[in-house]
Amino acid sequence: MNCPKCGSTDGTKDGIVKGKQRHKCKPCGYRHTVQQRGMGAAIKREALQLYLEGLGFRSIGRFLKCGHVAVYNRIKAHGESIEPIRSAAGVEVVEMDEMHTYVGSQKNYCWIWIAVDRNGERFLNCEVGPRDTDTGRKLWVSTKNNDMTDVMSDHWSPYEKFIPPALHTQSKAETYTVEGYNSLFRHFLARLRRKSKCYSKSKDMLKYSVMLLMLKRNGNLKAILN
């Protein structure tokens, strides 16, 4: 933080005054409190773009010179504003897969179920929850359409309980598209990287993050950025 008196960035924390962090400038000794500033429209857009390029909230805050809580609130607001992705007609071959992460601690596993359009090369939808039949069925209901000819998955048994056998093929060799797309989440969302200090503290923020990245990769994020 720049000193408002001499402009130096060489300072240290100096206690809390009326609930606000106070700082002390080392060169001139001036004490000042953190000035809370709102995020302008351009900063809000940049925060979302940086988030979807793999930066965490604190890194974005340092880069944009704003609080990480303000960044968190902005990303959350973007996530709350998006509507569920609807499966468009004309999708014939669908691949489904699930990837693991955790929420709150490494002992609290959570699974992200993902459906992609193989031929259209785009995300269709996702669900976040346990690795069980109910979560998978929710994804299936939001994804299925009358044009489907094939649905590909791995050999995880819950798929057999909600995908019609006439459409269903279980083979790791047939899920190459969705498995490649899974790696995008690990790369572009800091919270999904392995052995990282960034992690999800709530299931809602996890789903918002996944949905926002899906919209970006599908080329549909422009409406949110405007």
Side-chain angles (χ1 to χ4, degrees):
M1 171 174 291
N2 294 340
C3 173
K5 186 175 182 180
C6 70
S8 173
T9 59
D10 186 11
T12 183
K13 292 182 179 180
D14 190 43
I16 303 294
V17 177
K18 295 183 179 180
K20 296 182 179 180
Q21 179 67 57
R22 184 172 64 179
H23 291 259
K24 180 180 178 180
C25 176
K26 290 183 178 180
C28 72
Y30 183 74
R31 289 179 169 87
H32 56 282
T33 56
V34 175
Q35 300 297 318
Q36 300 293 336
R37 297 179 300 170
M39 296 177 69
I43 298 296
K44 292 176 182 177
R45 289 193 296 269
E46 192 169 3
L48 178 59
Q49 291 170 331
L50 290 172
Y51 182 68
L52 297 179
E53 288 294 330
L55 272 67
F57 297 138
R58 294 181 186 275
S59 297
I60 296 171
R62 289 192 293 269
F63 185 79
L64 298 179
K65 295 180 173 56
C66 61
H68 69 276
V69 175
V71 177
Y72 168 87
N73 289 334
R74 177 43 45 189
I75 302 301
K76 183 180 179 182
H78 282 312
E80 291 173 338
S81 70
I82 61 178
E83 297 181 357
I85 299 175
R86 301 296 181 185
S87 179
V91 178
E92 297 179 351
V93 182
V94 175
E95 296 183 24
M96 301 178 71
D97 195 21
E98 67 288 341
M99 60 183 294
H100 77 272
T101 183
Y102 55 89
V103 175
S105 74
Q106 293 184 353
K107 296 181 180 179
N108 189 14
Y109 261 52
C110 187
W111 293 83
I112 305 169
W113 295 66
I114 301 164
V116 304
D117 173 8
R118 176 189 286 182
N119 299 330
E121 297 184 344
R122 65 189 183 95
F123 289 103
L124 294 177
N125 219 324
C126 72
E127 283 294 335
V128 174
R131 198 185 187 197
D132 59 13
T133 304
D134 288 342
T135 309
R137 183 176 285 112
K138 289 178 183 177
L139 177 62
W140 170 247
V141 169
S142 65
T143 302
K144 65 180 180 180
N145 68 70
N146 294 330
D147 296 321
M148 285 183 178
T149 59
D150 297 282
V151 181
M152 311 300 187
S153 77
D154 57 22
H155 292 279
W156 184 238
S157 58
Y159 288 113
E160 301 173 359
K161 300 177 182 178
F162 54 82
I163 302 176
L167 301 177
H168 195 196
T169 299
Q170 288 185 286
S171 171
K172 290 290 289 185
E174 295 292 345
T175 57
Y176 52 86
T177 306
V178 68
E179 288 178 3
Y181 276 35
N182 283 346
S183 67
L184 296 175
F185 294 111
R186 301 285 188 197
H187 182 77
F188 288 106
L189 291 178
R191 65 181 58 233
L192 292 181
R193 292 187 190 135
R194 296 181 175 92
K195 298 181 180 180
S196 169
K197 291 185 178 181
C198 299
Y199 63 93
S200 295
K201 298 178 179 65
S202 77
K203 193 171 81 169
D204 287 341
M205 275 303 296
L206 175 59
K207 184 162 185 179
Y208 294 154
S209 301
V210 171
M211 294 285 284
L212 286 167
L213 185 60
M214 289 171 66
L215 287 175
K216 178 184 177 182
R217 302 302 299 190
N218 286 353
N220 297 328
L221 196 64
K222 189 174 182 180
I224 295 177
L225 292 174
N226 290 337

